[in-house]
Amino acid sequence: MRIEMHTHCRPVSGCARHDAEFLPEFFKSLGYDAIVLTNHYHRWHCNNLSKDLTEQAKIFLETYYKCKRRGDEVGLKVIFGAELKLSDEANHPEFLLYGLSEQDFLDTYPLFNETQETVFKFCEEKDIVMVQAHPFREEQGYDLADLKFMHGVEIYNSHRMFNPQFER
């Protein structure tokens, strides 16, 4: 099974170029069986959606549902995830959350105000895998976060803005 583990879409993730309905057909055409929709989950992106926390969470989930419906239509599994940026931690580390349920997302919204240790304990309790996203992008000010409070580290990220191979 071929799975894209880190992808974003509009309107939730400001860096994304495509809407939720585009991704499933695109990844299916590349031979993928599934994607994890890990839209940005932090104060800046969410505040751009709405100033109301309930509305932010609703838009985040509606975007996932649109992607999932399209995935079901074209035969691509779409898995719910998030790229959580800890707003109050040094270097503002970002973590990919795999296994986060939609209900846990709603029940704990907004997690971006928590500490890495608190989020890790939540993940342990809920069997969610917490992987630091792109810690080696020094040009963005990222650095490796506390390894005691995560399950893994993303070693390679093919984002076109930070990978010279896409300039060809």
Side-chain angles (χ1 to χ4, degrees), residues 17-162:
R17 291 182 168 201
H18 302 289
D19 293 325
E21 294 90 345
F22 172 84
L23 295 179
E25 195 165 342
F26 173 72
F27 279 101
K28 185 74 174 177
S29 75
L30 296 176
Y32 283 84
D33 301 295
I35 61 172
V36 184
L37 189 60
T38 54
N39 274 323
H40 287 286
Y41 175 22
H42 64 82
R43 189 177 292 134
W44 182 81
H45 281 281
C46 292
N47 282 342
N48 281 338
L49 299 173
S50 171
K51 299 300 179 209
D52 179 73
L53 292 176
T54 302
E55 185 66 16
Q56 289 174 8
K58 180 181 170 192
I59 294 168
F60 197 100
L61 284 177
E62 283 176 354
T63 302
Y64 161 70
Y65 295 138
K66 286 179 185 177
C67 192
K68 184 174 181 350
R69 274 193 301 274
R70 185 67 182 135
D72 290 344
E73 291 170 3
V74 302
L76 184 95
K77 184 170 183 66
V78 178
I79 302 164
F80 182 71
E83 183 175 347
L84 173 67
K85 183 173 195 157
L86 300 179
S87 303
D88 298 326
E89 293 277 315
N91 297 324
H92 310 290
E94 295 181 312
F95 295 94
L96 299 165
L97 303 182
Y98 301 120
L100 176 67
S101 74
E102 297 138 70
Q103 191 60 55
D104 285 337
F105 173 79
L106 288 172
D107 290 346
T108 59
Y109 193 85
L111 271 177
F112 49 73
N113 293 324
E114 300 296 338
T115 66
Q116 181 184 347
E117 182 176 0
T118 299
V119 173
F120 181 71
K121 287 177 181 175
F122 163 75
C123 289
E124 286 280 286
E125 178 184 308
K126 298 290 187 172
D127 291 324
I128 298 166
V129 176
M130 181 177 169
V131 175
Q132 187 175 3
H134 42 69
F136 307 113
R137 278 196 200 153
E138 295 169 356
E139 66 278 4
Q140 283 189 292
Y142 292 119
D143 199 1
L144 196 57
D146 192 336
L147 292 169
K148 293 187 308 264
F149 303 117
M150 69 175 88
H151 297 107
V153 175
E154 182 181 57
I155 300 300
Y156 177 76
N157 180 284
S158 63
H159 192 292
R160 56 193 262 29
M161 287 178 59
F162 304 101

